[in-house]
Amino acid sequence: MRNIAIPFFTFLMAVFALSSCRQDGAAPIRNIKAGPSLLRAQAGGACQNCTYRFGTEQKNLGNVYTKQLVVAFAEGLSAADEDAVMAQYKFISGKNGQLSSNSAILHNIALVDGLNCKQVELAMELLAEDPGIAYVAPYFLNESGLLGISNEAIVTIEEGAAEALGALAEGYGAEVLMPLSGQTYLVRVDKSSAGNALELANYLNGEKGIVHAEPDFLVSVDMPAARVAVKKLIR
């Protein structure tokens, strides 16, 4: 695969310009024990309003869901190690089941009541700094249930554009894993990438050689109190 140099400043500006989330106002912060960093968040701070592309349409996801996150722990951790990682954060109330993507075991992490969307965004930033966590991403709530952002995007390219996809993925800090069928590929991100799978998909859409990209959504048909989550691709 041929490496293509991407100027760092130009790349950052492109990611910012094509971001799938814009800022909205947050609800007032409630006085809960969620850790000092979260409690210092400003009540009038802005939350991200997220979208994704489905065919020629732009679908709205809204603000992050405030009761559950998607987390992949670092490889090699035992269940006790994972529990020890979570115990450091007062905004986590526990695990709420797990499911698998093609490349990772993903955990539903339940959050304490009373957080607003801005606090959840800050919680994700804190978790991403933890060496025991390899990936963290939000859930969104819509009429289909809870939509989680897995660590993978599904990307369809033009014929002969595999090298271009590889260069785009490398510049983003992502990895092309495998062809799924024909010209459709699976691309993986982690916390060291420029964004999660939703942000990667929105970045790739419109790039030369890319026909379509979307995150491989996790669909939880029940609220976080339930213990079973079902994974499928949103069509």
Side-chain angles (χ1 to χ4, degrees), residues 41-56:
Q42 296 298 314
C47 292
Q48 294 182 333
N49 185 68
C50 297
T51 62
Y52 74 100
R53 181 176 161 187
F54 181 69
T56 59

Side-chain angles (χ1 to χ4, degrees), residues 171-219:
Y172 201 84
E175 179 184 2
V176 180
L177 292 180
M178 66 183 83
L180 294 177
S181 62
Q183 302 300 315
T184 300
Y185 290 79
L186 195 66
V187 183
R188 175 176 64 186
V189 293
D190 59 26
K191 69 177 184 181
S192 64
S193 304
N196 60 39
L198 170 64
E199 293 161 331
L200 170 65
N202 281 281
Y203 165 68
L204 290 176
N205 279 314
E207 290 294 315
K208 185 176 180 180
I210 305 299
V211 175
H212 180 69
E214 63 181 275
D216 192 7
F217 284 106
L218 308 171
V219 180

